[in-house]
Amino acid sequence: MEKGGLGLEITELRLGLLPGSCGPSLVDKNDKKRVFSEIAEDKNSTTEEKSTQTKSQVVGWPPVCSYRKRNSFQEKDHLKKESKMYVKVSMDGAPFLRKIDLSMHKGYSDLALALEELFDCFGISEALKDADNSEQVPIYEDKDGDWMLVGDVPWEMFIESCKRLRIMKRSEAAKGFGLQLIKGFPKGFIKDVTK
Amino acid sequence: MNYFPDEVLEHVFDFLTSHRDRNAVSLVCSLWYRVERFSRQRVFIGNCYAISPEKLIKRFPGLKSLTLKGKHHFADFNLVPYDWGGYVQPWIEALAKSRIGLEELRLKRMVVSDESLELLSRSFANFKALVLVSCEGFTTDGLAAIAANCRFLRELDLQENEIDDHSGHWLSCFPDSCTSLTSLNFACLKGEINSASLERLVARSPNLRSLRLNRSVPLETLQKILVQAPLLVDLGTGSYVHDPDSETYNKLKTTILTCKSIRNLSGFLEVDPRCLPAIFPICLNLTYLNLSYAAGIHGSELIKLIRRCAKLQRLWILDCIGDKGLEVVASTCNELQELRVFPSDPLGIGHDAVTEYGLVAISIGCPKLHSLLYFCQQMTNAALITVARNCPNFIRFRLCILDPTKPDAVTMQPLDDGFGAIVQSCKFLRRLSLTGLLTDQVFRYIGMYAEQLEMLSVAFAGNSDKGMLYVLNGCKKLRKLEIMDCPFGNGALLSDAGKYETMRSLWMSSCEITLSGCKTLAKMMPRLNVEIINEHDQMEICPEDDGQRVGKLYLYRTLVGPRKDAPEFVWNL
């Protein structure tokens, strides 16, 4: 190539950022290759939650327009197949348990509808209309083995820590199962379902 | 031709619809030039810095419809800094001051301000159509001005713009007297809109044929709108989420049965796949289906839907359809002309992604295919050779292997022969994008065979200057060449400087060219703007050090010299 003949290579500093080169893109082609294989390796060892955006990327690659990148690669609403979260759901009075995939739902209201469909009952989200008379109370067992009221914590936190679900009859709860029910129904649940 | 009165010439020219034909006609002689320029109504300007608004107005006083493009294509991939340029304001100001009766304005990759939109809305009494694609710089306040002031507005089409959403008030700004809308697309808006306003607007727009909603419009509203607009041809849904057992959903199912005219379907920005059956009845009529933003529809549901779309001509989907899904497309959509498969996970190596198998299946089942954009995990020469044989009609062929230097997945060889087969077989190829492990040889093939090639996009390819030289010497019809991360240097850049005046533009980033080469070129070619983009701290870059490599070069032909609105970090040499 021409430039070699002029001996200009000596003047090109290759330590640190090469003057005139763009952005976080790299010094030479070999380096670029290295970064791409790094990204590939990291991805395999990464857990589902780790955002791929934290990795260094070559600016301009892949050539997907930025509008599309911002609007179609959704992390929370549309989780990938790898992150299915099936948990057992029991309902007082039902002869057998069911299983539900928490990752398929977007929030508490969505979950409430799904649970109602599963057990063919209408107590769960209906309770928001008439809190005091609600028959069903959804609770879940968390990582520590404690039984908690559904709806207190943000949805993402809930699906991380929920190990199993139970739809309890109000009468059972009142018998001193240990839950503090404020005004007859979990507030957090109402807030989310009425959103 | 001197015997014909001007009106006759004008009448003949009326039959020429393409810009190129009219441009050609204007070069025949001064008489034709004169007749053509006074009768021209539609003008396309591919680079807003190639000409000035004043010159445009002077030459075409009868201008009614203007299309302008601003930033370079690579701005889509964040390679062009935010305030690089491409402002529409000076154009609108100049047009407003003149006596031009502008009716249509189409902009792509330009910076549009609320002030510009406001001025536009007040300056042209007959303004009818505004189409903004990949633009930025404005808010819904600007849209409110358009809605309020353009009394005869027919078309408001916003595609993939970055709009600051100050909430849905703008929609209510369409006066009750506005009944002329034929096309409304606000899918890219992020905020809420007033459903009641939207319903009323649709109800008083009997000519509405195209409607694309944004994410905030719920299913209930969609159902009500469809009742008011059964003649809709193009529909983009908003939020397509509802309880499939609800009355609303059942109403929607019934309403959709009346929408016999829908041919284009898009949207599903939020989707509950259980609600998809409602659209099954219209699938058979669809010619365009865009599910590329519908990340909520997975493989099997996608396939169920596509099985019903036998008449599809254009399909945009995500790669979660998988090779198996593409086989279904191939067996179902035999009329397919355009296919775009986008990555659902741009960095990862997903299990669902597509490979060469999917593409080969498509080539067998869809012989009419002429436009392809295909993001995939891997490719082979054998597959490309097969595709080239099955589909010799490609006009646009864009292949993007997510790992851009990946060789043939089976033989581990470069993909030169595969792409070589494509250019040799597809004699009408106008646009080509390459990826994979590629040597100078692929460029030799391109130079030899791609006689109609107008646009070439290359990244991480080639070994030496020879690669670029093959292309510059061989592709006589080349208009746009964009190169990133290739080992092409000054030798290639300077070999045929005159060539660049026959092209719209050249982009080279992260290549081997130096400041010295660019300066030399700029000196040789005064009718080119040779711009260097330097984004970094200016202290690091010494303008006198000609030996330093240039990060980004963008050069383009122009009749108006260096632009005056270039920011500090853009050097015009």
Side-chain angles (χ1 to χ4, degrees), chain B residues 19-84:
Chain B
H19 295 291
R20 284 191 210 180
D21 286 343
R22 289 203 72 121
N23 291 346
V25 138
S26 67
L27 294 175
V28 167
C29 63
S30 53
L31 171 67
W32 282 34
Y33 178 88
R34 184 168 49 78
V35 173
E36 198 284 319
R37 70 177 262 252
F38 282 112
S39 59
R40 176 102 76 145
Q41 293 184 346
R42 319 182 72 86
V43 176
F44 169 85
I45 295 177
N47 175 2
C48 64
Y49 290 119
I51 191 75
S52 71
E54 290 74 27
K55 284 188 153 82
L56 169 74
I57 292 166
K58 192 146 176 247
R59 181 171 170 190
F60 300 115
L63 179 68
K64 290 213 166 77
S65 164
L66 176 63
T67 303
L68 277 172
K69 291 191 180 179
K71 298 185 205 177
H72 183 264
H73 176 221
F74 280 178
D76 287 349
F77 317 134
N78 298 325
L79 285 171
V80 177
Y82 174 65
D83 37 356
W84 173 87

Side-chain angles (χ1 to χ4, degrees), chain A residues 20-21 32 61 66 68 70 73, chain B residues 76 162 292 343-344 402 485 551:
Chain A
S21 67
K32 289 176 188 96
W61 197 265
S66 46
R68 185 173 285 282
R70 272 191 294 269
F73 307 122
Chain B
D76 287 349
E162 277 308 309
S292 63
S344 36
L402 288 166
D485 298 84

